[in-house]
Amino acid sequence: MTEPIRLEVNGHPYSIVVDDPDMPLLYALRDDLGLSNPRFGCGLAQCGACTVHVDGAAVRSCVTPVASVKDKKITTLAGLGTPEHPHPLQTAYIAEQVPQCGYCINGWIMTAAALLKETPHPSDAQIRDGLSGLKCRCGTHLAILRAVKRAAQA
Ligand code: FES
Ligand code: FES
């Protein structure tokens, strides 16, 4: 029997009905809730474009079964900051003019936000290590490094 799954996303409660509880959280966020920040890149946990926070930890929503996160606190890029009160990483991304095509931004910022929460003043090596599983085909890596360091100083 299909049962509703309760999700808390960016502080708002949602209830969705899915045919398959193993459906990726990414599909629920994008298709059921209309939240477009988490991106579909590889679908195989290889690029990070789909990253969201679940109870504060960065997870790849393309390989996270939606039923496994019921009643947990999910945060997407849209919930990280607001235009009035942006997250320091969002401010730093603008200051460093990081984005090119922008497709990868969600994954880098969500992963870096979790990293900075855990390690507020990371070394270059810690930043590189923490973000090593992410992909940017536009080659913005040096600008990303500057932005994360700027956000850490903010
Ligand atoms: S789309 Fe999830 S890691 Fe690439
Ligand atoms: S800015 Fe284009 S893939 Fe990263």
Side-chain angles (χ1 to χ4, degrees), residues 90-134:
Q90 293 169 319
T91 304
Y93 254 63
I94 294 170
E96 295 292 345
Q97 293 287 289
V98 177
Q100 294 296 315
C101 80
Y103 198 85
C104 68
I105 289 176
N106 174 78
W108 290 95
I109 291 186
M110 295 306 286
T111 305
L115 170 69
L116 291 180
K117 200 170 167 194
E118 190 88 0
T119 310
H121 301 290
S123 64
D124 282 17
Q126 286 174 312
I127 296 172
R128 289 176 194 274
D129 188 49
L131 303 181
S132 62
L134 295 156

Side-chain angles (χ1 to χ4, degrees), residues 26 39-51 60-63 133:
L26 177 63
R39 300 289 175 83
F40 184 95
C42 62
L44 298 167
Q46 297 295 308
C47 74
C50 62
T51 302
R60 299 196 169 182
S61 64
C62 69
V63 292

Side-chain angles (χ1 to χ4, degrees), residues 88 92 96 116 120-122 124 127 145-154:
E96 295 292 345
L116 291 180
H121 301 290
D124 282 17
I127 296 172
L145 183 60
R146 289 198 305 271
V148 175
K149 290 166 72 172
R150 179 187 281 262
Q153 290 164 2

